[in-house]
Amino acid sequence: MNDGVNGVALAVFIFFFLAVTVMGFMAARWRAAENANNLDEWGLGGRSFGTWVTWFLLGGDLYTAYTFVAVPAAVYAAGAAGFFAVPYTILVYPLIFTFLPRLWSVSHKHGYVTTSDFVRGRFGSKGLSLAVAVTGILATMPYIALQLVGIQAVLDVMGVGGGEDTNWFIKDLPLLIAFGVLAAYTYSSGLRAPALIAFVKDTLIYIVIVVAIIYIPIKLGGFDDIFAKAGDAFSQTNEATGKPRGALTPPEASQWAYATLALGSALALFMYPHSITATLSSRSREVIRRNTTILPLYSLMLGLLALLGFMAIAAGVKVDNGQLAIPQLFEDMFPDWFAGVAFAAIGIGALVPAAIMSIAAANLFTRNIYKDFLKPDATPEQETKVSKLVSLLVKVGALAFVLTMDKTVAINFQLLGGIWILQTFPALVGGLFTRWFHRWALLAGWAVGMVYGTVAAYGVASPTQKHFGGSQKEIPGIGEIGYIGLTAFVLNVAVTVALTVVLRALKAPDGIDETSPEDYRADAGDPGVRAERPVEAAGAAVKAPGGH
């Protein structure tokens, strides 16, 4: 790792950071409504985004700075096992094509802002709604923290903040400044800020990936040499485990782990509150359907991104923390000015999802805890004020998490968050297609999945820690190593189905379903659907609601 500050790279990084900061504050006037004091406007951007804005917003939301750093870092550390992210993002799009348009329609019809709003309306259960909300908040917090870890990795490689002996305040000051700016424009502009910044973020990422996948192999002698050197490195014995470091292809013994992790991750991805927030911000059902067909372009980018892990090995990158491998690769291989562009792509790639995640978590608290249990008569203005304040508190919590805990702890809590959020799948997706599941059975299944997943993850050790050392464990009854989240999900569904049969037989009371079958196919402009204000795209004439 280079000593000192890379002044050129830092200057380029600061330029882009200042540019998106200005955009973040200007976003408050982009498609501004006469009355912005409601969650539809602040938390969902007025539900007015078209196909391309939604595509960039969802891409900026799902493909984060941590993705940019962690996916190739996993390949750098263990080889092909790190590629699990590619098949799971391929699996997820046909899956969401089946249910996201239905969720958009019913949410648009009834003014739902969160998944918990839908669950409460569908099953008539505030308890089940609360469970989904709390799970969403808990799963999102460490995810936000990891975005800050991504920024910190870039700052470390650029030499910003001093060494390990530097005063903690000076060392973390750049991160504190980035956090303060993020908090300010999120509070001011709401979802419009990350939506606008996502254009810059994704453009930079695509440029960096295309250049890296062409330029770096040329400097390293081609892909034949890259894979040969990576294969040699993975064949070396890991002193901590006594086993080979990794493999270019998954060995037979790890195929269950690979497959279950990919499937479980695909099922969980759009259970996260920030994914749904970006989805509900679109202006029509057709926008969602189009996006499920063009979002796989990001999967292509992710596959190319993962190859950077092999390139880091071939380039001789040596780091104690694997999360620094790709930033260090950019530092070593690119000219200083383009390294700055790459670092800016990662840094801005943290700001966009962190903003959306904090808004999503704040909306869950406001609608499904504050309004449902603390102040049922809250006005739209009060809801917006509370959500803005909670979005700040969420980011403060994430910052404290990063500054006070070891980064490995943050990563493990994010893995645990993935296990947790998957347990909301039966209530959300099941509820979109059937009301056969009983609300009490869904709550019991959720509780079983949460308890099993947490206890099982607690019992996983790694060479560096005794508990929460990973997310894979032996599957009961099968004997193969698999993803804990998927095992917990299967238990969740089994308990839900079994209890539903019992409760139906006992004629246990259902809650009131405020939805109707036609609500799940409604589109903007249909009779009885909530009216939208006209929206105006940049440089275009005003369009009627639902126009394309």
Side-chain angles (χ1 to χ4, degrees):
M1 188 175 293
N2 295 339
D3 296 325
V5 176
N6 186 330
V8 174
L10 179 60
V12 175
F13 180 88
I14 291 174
F15 168 78
F16 281 107
F17 185 83
L18 291 176
V20 298
T21 298
V22 172
M23 292 176 67
F25 286 109
M26 289 178 61
R29 295 191 290 274
W30 178 45
R31 296 180 172 185
E34 291 183 8
N35 178 17
N37 288 323
N38 60 76
L39 289 185
D40 269 14
E41 292 297 335
W42 183 82
L44 293 179
R47 302 183 191 254
S48 64
F49 298 145
T51 300
W52 287 110
V53 176
T54 302
W55 185 70
F56 278 106
L57 184 62
L58 277 169
D61 188 10
L62 302 176
Y63 297 89
T64 68
Y66 184 63
T67 305
F68 207 125
V69 169
V71 170
V75 173
Y76 171 83
F83 273 90
F84 83 93
V86 178
Y88 103 65
T89 58
I90 295 171
L91 288 171
V92 74
Y93 297 117
L95 174 69
I96 63 175
F97 185 86
T98 65
F99 75 83
L100 276 191
R102 294 177 66 86
L103 178 61
W104 183 93
S105 292
V106 70
S107 299
H108 199 80
K109 179 71 178 287
H110 292 274
Y112 299 147
V113 174
T114 68
T115 52
S116 292
D117 282 351
F118 164 71
V119 168
R120 184 194 62 233
R122 178 62 155 162
F123 295 101
S125 172
K126 285 187 177 181
L128 184 59
S129 170
L130 178 64
V132 172
V134 170
T135 305
I137 294 170
L138 288 176
T140 301
M141 287 289 290
Y143 218 153
I144 300 172
L146 287 185
Q147 306 317 308
L148 302 181
V149 169
I151 296 177
Q152 206 167 42
V154 169
L155 295 174
D156 285 349
V157 171
M158 285 193 295
V160 177
E164 291 299 324
D165 296 331
T166 305
N167 176 277
W168 73 268
F169 180 77
I170 299 298
K171 180 175 177 59
D172 294 319
L173 183 58
L175 188 62
L176 292 170
I177 293 172
F179 158 81
V181 170
L182 168 67
Y185 65 63
T186 304
Y187 186 93
S188 170
S189 304
L191 193 65
R192 286 176 174 82
L196 196 58
I197 295 171
F199 284 96
V200 177
K201 174 252 186 188
D202 288 352
T203 300
L204 287 177
I205 284 181
Y206 272 104
I207 290 172
V208 170
I209 294 300
V210 170
V211 171
I213 210 71
I214 296 172
Y215 177 77
I216 295 178
I218 291 174
K219 291 197 68 175
L220 294 177
F223 279 102
D224 284 349
D225 285 352
I226 290 171
F227 287 125
K229 290 178 181 177
D232 290 342
F234 290 136
S235 66
Q236 303 300 314
T237 301
N238 184 328
E239 295 181 0
T241 63
K243 299 178 181 178
R245 171 179 166 181
L248 285 176
T249 58
E252 184 177 349
S254 65
Q255 288 176 2
W256 270 84
Y258 186 92
T260 55
L261 181 58
L263 178 58
S265 299
L267 295 174
L269 183 60
F270 272 81
M271 299 302 102
Y272 279 103
H274 54 278
S275 303
I276 300 302
T277 295
T279 299
L280 297 185
S281 69
S282 59
R283 70 178 178 225
S284 75
R285 176 186 174 97
E286 193 60 29
V287 166
I288 302 303
R289 295 167 65 90
R290 288 196 201 107
N291 265 274
T292 60
T293 63
I294 59 177
L295 275 168
L297 286 172
Y298 281 99
S299 297
L300 173 63
M301 179 270 291
L302 190 61
L304 298 176
L305 175 65
L307 291 175
L308 296 179
F310 294 138
M311 296 180 198
I313 295 173
V317 171
K318 302 291 184 183
V319 291
D320 294 329
N321 178 1
Q323 308 304 317
L324 300 178
I326 301 313
Q328 190 61 50
L329 174 69
F330 292 158
E331 170 92 355
D332 294 344
M333 302 301 294
F334 287 145
D336 288 346
W337 70 269
F338 195 77
V341 173
F343 295 153
I346 299 175
I348 298 169
L351 298 178
V352 171
I356 305 172
M357 289 170 189
S358 65
I359 290 169
N363 288 345
L364 280 171
F365 176 85
T366 301
R367 290 296 290 261
N368 309 115
I369 297 177
Y370 174 75
K371 185 175 177 64
D372 278 354
F373 294 95
L374 303 177
K375 192 174 177 58
D377 60 345
T379 65
E381 291 79 9
Q382 289 172 326
E383 286 182 23
T384 306
K385 183 177 180 180
V386 169
S387 201
K388 286 182 174 183
L389 291 174
V390 172
S391 75
L392 294 179
L393 293 176
V394 166
K395 285 189 278 288
V396 169
L399 184 66
F401 199 89
V402 169
L403 296 182
T404 59
M405 293 188 178
D406 184 84
K407 305 304 177 292
T408 304
V409 176
I411 294 169
N412 289 334
F413 270 104
Q414 195 277 328
L415 294 174
L416 188 59
I419 295 170
W420 288 340
I421 201 66
L422 182 52
Q423 307 318 310
T424 64
F425 190 99
L428 176 58
V429 179
L432 288 169
F433 293 95
T434 178
R435 202 167 181 272
W436 180 77
F437 295 120
H438 196 279
R439 52 182 175 158
W440 297 344
L442 285 166
L443 190 57
W446 166 84
V448 168
M450 291 287 285
V451 170
Y452 172 83
T454 304
V455 172
Y458 179 81
V460 177
S462 73
T464 57
Q465 58 193 86
K466 192 174 181 181
H467 302 293
F468 297 118
S471 59
Q472 298 176 346
K473 195 172 185 177
E474 184 175 306
I475 304 171
I478 296 179
E480 300 284 351
I481 300 297
Y483 178 45
I484 292 170
L486 193 60
T487 306
F489 171 73
V490 171
L491 289 173
N492 181 344
V493 172
V495 169
T496 298
V497 170
L499 281 182
T500 295
V501 171
V502 173
L503 291 168
R504 295 290 177 208
L506 296 175
K507 300 188 183 303
D510 273 330
I512 297 173
D513 181 5
E514 67 182 27
T515 71
S516 58
E518 58 271 17
D519 294 346
Y520 296 87
R521 298 184 296 274
D523 205 347
D526 289 351
V529 177
R530 288 161 52 89
E532 290 183 285
R533 60 184 176 82
V535 296
E536 185 175 3
V542 175
K543 296 181 179 181
H548 303 295

